[in-house]
């Protein structure tokens, strides 16, 4: 039986998309997750929704307790994770409102607990593999459903996650482009890595909201712009999640 965890990012704090909702609070050895879970069903599939920044969006990116979030998702018996995230575009061809099915990340965060591995127990070395951290089956389901919904989307993309809360300088933004990053956000690392450590298949729907600041033809990104563009397009993300989850039952 599949059970899908949705990690809702900025703009998707409390999507009212569940039937028969119950609220479940979980404590973990790593502390309290960002929010309680809203549990219910979509298209007959069990779903638990966590709000990455808290329901009132009071948790800044560096303060998100990713280990508690992922541990709680495992403890709830979730078999898959679909995460959502707003992102800036580092490529002209990724427009505002486009959706990117991430397939790689670059971790440019600095102050986050990025692993469950704290010591090598009994002298056993533990270096988690991370070559392809996004789950192919989930990505394929997202891609097929995005096609059916006729959404503007990109089948793959590398995200660079920065520490935040500040946005990048122009020099940083240009450097990230040279490194091969396609989009930028403040959340995918280490969330995705931690899901991999606990062997929970993970995919992320990244909604492009701005051109960061590398594109000199555009005004540099502001938080107000991110939220405005996300809100204008959030219905696409929700439809994609709903259809994809219903299709996973098959
Ligand atoms: N989230 C949305 N847009 C972003 C940007 N330009 N940089 C970092 N995080 C973002």
């Amino acid at each position: 039986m599949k059970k899908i965890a949705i990690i809702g990012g900025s703009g998707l704090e409390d999507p009212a998309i569940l039937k028969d909702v119950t609220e479940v609070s979980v404590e973990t050895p790593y502390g309290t997750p960002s929010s309680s879970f809203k549990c219910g069903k979509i298209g007959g599939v069990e779903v638990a929704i966590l709000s990455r920044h808290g329901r009132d969006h009071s948790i800044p990116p560096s303060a998100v307790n990713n280990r508690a979030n992922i541990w709680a998702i495992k403890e709830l018996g979730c078999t898959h994770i679909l995460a959502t995230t707003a992102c800036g575009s580092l490529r002209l061809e990724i427009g505002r409102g486009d959706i990117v099915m991430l397939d790689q990340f670059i971790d440019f965060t600095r102050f986050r607990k990025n692993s469950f591995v704290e010591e090598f127990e009994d002298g056993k070395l533990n270096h988690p593999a991370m070559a392809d951290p996004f789950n192919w089956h989930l990505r394929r389901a997202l891609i097929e459903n995005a096609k059916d919904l006729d959404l503007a989307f990109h089948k793959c993309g590398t995200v660079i996650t920065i520490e935040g809360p500040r946005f990048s300088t122009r020099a940083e933004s240009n450097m990230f482009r040279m490194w091969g990053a396609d989009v930028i956000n403040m959340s995918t690392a280490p969330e995705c890595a931690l899901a991999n450590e606990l062997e929970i298949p993970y995919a992320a729907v990244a909604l492009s909201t701005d051109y960061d600041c590398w594109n000199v033809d555009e005004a540099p990104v502001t938080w107000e712009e991110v939220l405005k563009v996300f809100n204008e397009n959030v219905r696409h993300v929700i439809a994609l999640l709903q259809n994809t989850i219903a299709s996973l039952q098959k």
Side-chain angles (χ1 to χ4, degrees):
M1 268 290 274
K2 293 193 175 82
K3 182 169 178 179
I4 315 296
I6 295 176
I7 305 181
S10 304
L12 218 97
E13 271 74 34
D14 195 8
I17 55 176
L18 295 181
K19 291 228 168 80
D20 310 326
V21 187
T22 56
E23 198 161 338
V24 178
S25 295
V26 183
E27 277 302 316
T28 81
Y30 301 95
T32 310
S34 296
S35 75
S36 59
F37 288 81
K38 293 265 175 92
C39 299
K41 283 193 173 174
I42 293 178
V45 182
E46 273 198 77
V47 175
I49 303 181
L50 176 74
S51 172
R52 185 185 291 119
H53 298 285
R55 292 249 153 67
D56 54 356
H57 205 117
S58 60
I59 308 174
S62 302
V64 171
N65 190 340
N66 290 292
R67 296 199 301 182
N69 288 352
I70 299 298
W71 193 272
I73 284 169
K74 186 85 178 178
E75 217 163 270
L76 273 182
C78 295
T79 55
H80 299 77
I81 298 175
L82 291 174
T84 70
T85 172
C87 66
S89 168
L90 299 173
R91 305 282 160 205
L92 216 45
E93 62 272 22
I94 301 176
R96 285 191 181 79
D98 288 7
I99 285 174
V100 184
M101 311 314 177
L102 303 177
D103 70 329
Q104 285 289 323
F105 71 72
I106 298 172
D107 185 355
F108 202 65
T109 64
R110 292 148 196 245
F111 307 118
R112 304 182 186 188
K113 300 272 192 196
N114 65 359
S115 178
F116 290 107
V117 181
E118 290 188 339
E119 60 178 315
F120 291 149
E121 280 162 38
D122 306 324
K124 240 179 79 195
L125 304 197
N126 183 355
H127 297 282
M130 208 58 61
D132 292 298
F134 296 89
N135 181 262
W136 162 238
H137 297 286
L138 285 176
R139 288 189 50 249
R140 187 173 52 188
L142 288 167
I143 289 166
E144 290 307 318
N145 282 282
K147 269 189 213 157
D148 290 347
L149 286 164
D150 207 17
L151 300 180
F153 76 99
H154 304 262
K155 283 184 184 167
C156 51
T158 297
V159 64
I160 183 151
T161 301
I162 58 171
E163 186 60 49
R166 70 166 176 84
F167 289 112
S168 306
T169 65
R170 240 185 265 285
E172 288 167 338
S173 196
N174 281 314
M175 178 179 75
F176 299 150
R177 278 164 52 78
M178 286 191 281
W179 282 1
D182 302 304
V183 292
I184 180 166
N185 74 3
M186 301 181 192
S187 66
T188 301
E191 182 179 274
C192 173
L194 293 166
N196 274 266
E197 284 192 14
L198 295 194
E199 298 181 346
I200 311 172
Y202 178 104
V205 174
L207 180 76
S208 165
T209 53
D210 56 84
Y211 279 101
D212 202 40
C213 64
W214 62 273
N215 187 349
V216 288
D217 294 335
E218 302 258 351
V221 57
T222 61
W223 179 241
E224 289 69 30
E225 182 190 16
V226 171
L227 269 191
K228 177 174 169 288
V229 178
F230 198 93
N231 287 331
E232 283 166 4
N233 292 281
V234 68
R235 66 184 189 285
H236 295 147
V237 177
I238 289 176
L240 180 57
L241 289 175
Q242 285 176 313
N243 287 15
T244 301
I245 289 169
S247 77
L248 289 174
Q249 198 188 26
K250 292 176 201 145

Coordinates of all heavy atoms in Angstrom, one line a residue, residues 86-88 162 167 184-186 209-210 212 221 226, ligand 1:
A86 N 9.2 26.6 -4.5 CA 9.4 27.7 -5.5 C 10.9 27.8 -5.8 O 11.7 27.4 -5.0 CB 9.0 29.0 -4.8
C87 N 11.2 28.2 -7.0 CA 12.6 28.3 -7.4 C 12.8 29.5 -8.3 O 11.9 30.0 -9.0 CB 13.1 27.0 -8.0 SG 12.3 26.7 -9.6
G88 N 14.1 30.0 -8.4 CA 14.4 31.0 -9.4 C 15.0 30.3 -10.6 O 15.6 29.2 -10.5
I162 N 20.7 27.2 -1.9 CA 21.5 28.1 -1.1 C 21.0 28.2 0.3 O 19.9 27.8 0.6 CB 21.6 29.5 -1.7 CG1 20.2 30.1 -1.9 CG2 22.3 29.5 -3.1 CD1 20.1 31.6 -2.3
F167 N 18.8 36.4 -0.9 CA 19.0 36.0 -2.3 C 20.4 36.1 -2.6 O 21.2 36.7 -1.9 CB 18.1 36.7 -3.2 CG 16.6 36.4 -3.1 CD1 15.7 37.4 -2.5 CD2 16.1 35.2 -3.4 CE1 14.4 37.1 -2.4 CE2 14.8 34.9 -3.3 CZ 13.9 35.8 -2.7
I184 N 17.3 27.6 -8.8 CA 17.9 27.9 -7.5 C 16.8 28.0 -6.5 O 15.7 28.5 -6.7 CB 18.7 29.2 -7.5 CG1 19.3 29.5 -6.2 CG2 17.9 30.4 -8.0 CD1 20.4 30.6 -6.3
N185 N 17.0 27.4 -5.3 CA 16.0 27.5 -4.2 C 16.7 27.5 -2.8 O 18.0 27.5 -2.8 CB 14.9 26.5 -4.3 CG 15.4 25.1 -3.9 OD1 16.5 24.9 -3.5 ND2 14.5 24.1 -4.1
M186 N 16.0 27.4 -1.8 CA 16.6 27.3 -0.4 C 16.1 26.1 0.3 O 16.2 26.1 1.6 CB 16.2 28.6 0.4 CG 16.6 29.9 -0.3 SD 16.1 31.4 0.7 CE 16.4 32.7 -0.5
T209 N 9.6 31.0 -10.3 CA 8.9 32.2 -10.0 C 9.6 33.5 -10.4 O 9.0 34.6 -10.4 CB 8.6 32.3 -8.5 OG1 9.9 32.2 -7.8 CG2 7.7 31.3 -8.0
D210 N 10.9 33.4 -10.8 CA 11.7 34.6 -11.1 C 13.0 34.3 -11.8 O 13.3 33.1 -12.0 CB 12.1 35.3 -9.7 CG 12.8 34.3 -8.8 OD1 14.0 34.1 -8.9 OD2 12.1 33.6 -8.0
D212 N 16.0 35.2 -10.7 CA 17.1 35.5 -9.7 C 17.7 36.8 -10.0 O 16.9 37.8 -10.1 CB 18.1 34.3 -9.7 CG 19.0 34.3 -8.5 OD1 18.4 34.5 -7.4 OD2 20.2 34.1 -8.5
V221 N 15.3 39.5 -8.3 CA 14.2 38.9 -7.5 C 13.9 39.5 -6.2 O 14.8 40.0 -5.5 CB 14.5 37.4 -7.3 CG1 15.8 37.2 -6.6 CG2 13.4 36.6 -6.6
V226 N 8.2 36.4 -5.8 CA 8.2 34.9 -5.6 C 6.8 34.5 -5.3 O 6.2 33.6 -5.9 CB 9.2 34.4 -4.6 CG1 9.0 32.9 -4.3 CG2 10.6 34.6 -5.1
Ligands
LIG1 N1 13.1 30.7 -4.4 C1 12.4 31.3 -5.4 N2 13.2 32.1 -6.1 C2 14.5 32.0 -5.6 C3 15.7 32.5 -5.8 N3 15.9 33.4 -6.9 N4 16.8 32.2 -5.1 C4 16.6 31.4 -4.0 N5 15.4 30.8 -3.7 C5 14.4 31.1 -4.5

